[in-house]
Amino acid sequence: MKNLKNILKILLGANQLLRVMSSQSASVYANQVISFLIPWLVLTKTGSALNAGTVAFAIGIAALLGTLTGGLIIDRIGGRKVSIISDALSFITALLLAVALLFDFFAIWLVIVSQVLG
């Protein structure tokens, strides 16, 4: 009976780890898709590779700064809160860009600001 309890404890821990890894993988995948699609959207809307490169550069700089400061922020606020806040900001900025495109408003500054905040 003791061995069965240990086995169940190990399996429950593996299930929790699998859920955490799956949610993290989904978040990283979504961020990678966005970082590919946004410069492509800028290229198709403006026809300028310079504008697309500028947006891609801004996204890369924002990712670098987030990576460098992320640990400090997580230590101060907590991992769960930071994850919720960052996913909420990503959702809001994607929604902002979608609404702007819905109303046929497209400005490079809006794309850069939304992606840096997201």
Side-chain angles (χ1 to χ4, degrees):
M1 190 66 164
K2 187 177 179 181
N3 286 338
L4 182 61
K5 284 183 180 180
N6 286 339
I7 291 172
L8 288 174
K9 194 179 215 182
I10 290 171
L11 289 176
L12 181 62
N15 187 21
Q16 290 173 345
L17 178 63
L18 182 62
R19 283 190 279 160
V20 168
M21 289 176 61
S22 297
S23 61
Q24 178 65 23
S25 297
S27 178
V28 169
Y29 176 74
N31 287 338
Q32 293 302 317
V33 168
I34 289 292
S35 67
F36 173 74
L37 288 179
I38 294 300
W40 186 14
L41 174 71
V42 170
L43 181 63
T44 58
K45 283 290 194 180
T46 64
S48 171
L50 180 63
N51 287 342
T54 302
V55 170
F57 181 74
I59 291 171
I61 291 296
L64 177 66
L65 291 177
T67 301
L68 294 175
T69 60
L72 296 172
I73 295 170
I74 288 171
D75 287 343
R76 303 260 186 217
I77 298 174
R80 183 180 170 108
K81 286 182 185 177
V82 169
S83 177
I84 292 170
I85 290 169
S86 69
D87 287 341
L89 280 174
S90 293
F91 174 72
I92 289 169
T93 56
L95 190 62
L96 173 71
L97 194 56
V99 168
L101 288 171
L102 180 68
F103 289 111
D104 203 28
F105 178 76
F106 190 80
I108 297 298
W109 67 267
L110 178 66
V111 174
I112 291 173
V113 167
S114 70
Q115 294 310 303
V116 168
L117 289 177

